[in-house]
Amino acid sequence: MRIPFYRKGIREQVTTKSGDSKPDVIPTKIWKCKNSECKAWIREEFTTGEQLCPICRGPMLRSMRHLPAVKNKVPRQPRQPKNDAF
């Protein structure tokens, strides 16, 4: 049984229990909340200068997780104005 999994603009087919197709995972550096009651974490590449939990504002510590690779989008180029010669 296939269950489709969709994430913001990226479509990945992931199957559960059958193990047919899963995204490739790589070791990824993350920051996770030190508070045991808070489950927040963020990839290191998306952090800002301060390492405070975005949910509880507690301290965060570095860790590793095996996560699918993120495909960063290429920044859009500004549109060129149309030259309408009338």
Side-chain angles (χ1 to χ4, degrees):
M1 178 175 134
R2 290 186 179 217
I3 299 172
F5 172 76
Y6 299 107
R7 191 174 15 141
K8 282 188 181 178
I10 301 172
R11 291 185 175 205
E12 297 177 8
Q13 283 285 329
V14 177
T15 58
T16 57
K17 295 185 182 178
S18 64
D20 293 341
S21 63
K22 290 186 178 181
D24 293 331
V25 293
I26 58 172
T28 306
K29 295 178 184 177
I30 64 162
W31 285 90
K32 66 180 183 176
C33 186
K34 207 171 186 178
N35 184 356
S36 62
E37 296 174 3
C38 182
K39 297 183 186 233
W41 61 273
I42 187 167
R43 291 177 187 252
E44 186 177 60
E45 59 204 49
F46 298 124
T47 59
T48 58
E50 61 184 54
Q51 269 60 41
L52 292 177
C53 176
I55 296 174
C56 71
R57 295 289 178 210
M60 297 187 82
L61 62 108
R62 290 176 80 168
S63 185
M64 297 285 284
R65 278 198 181 179
H66 286 82
L67 301 169
V70 174
K71 298 174 186 171
N72 293 331
K73 293 183 179 179
V74 177
R76 287 182 69 180
Q77 297 294 326
R79 285 186 156 186
Q80 298 295 328
K82 291 183 179 179
N83 293 330
D84 292 330
F86 284 96

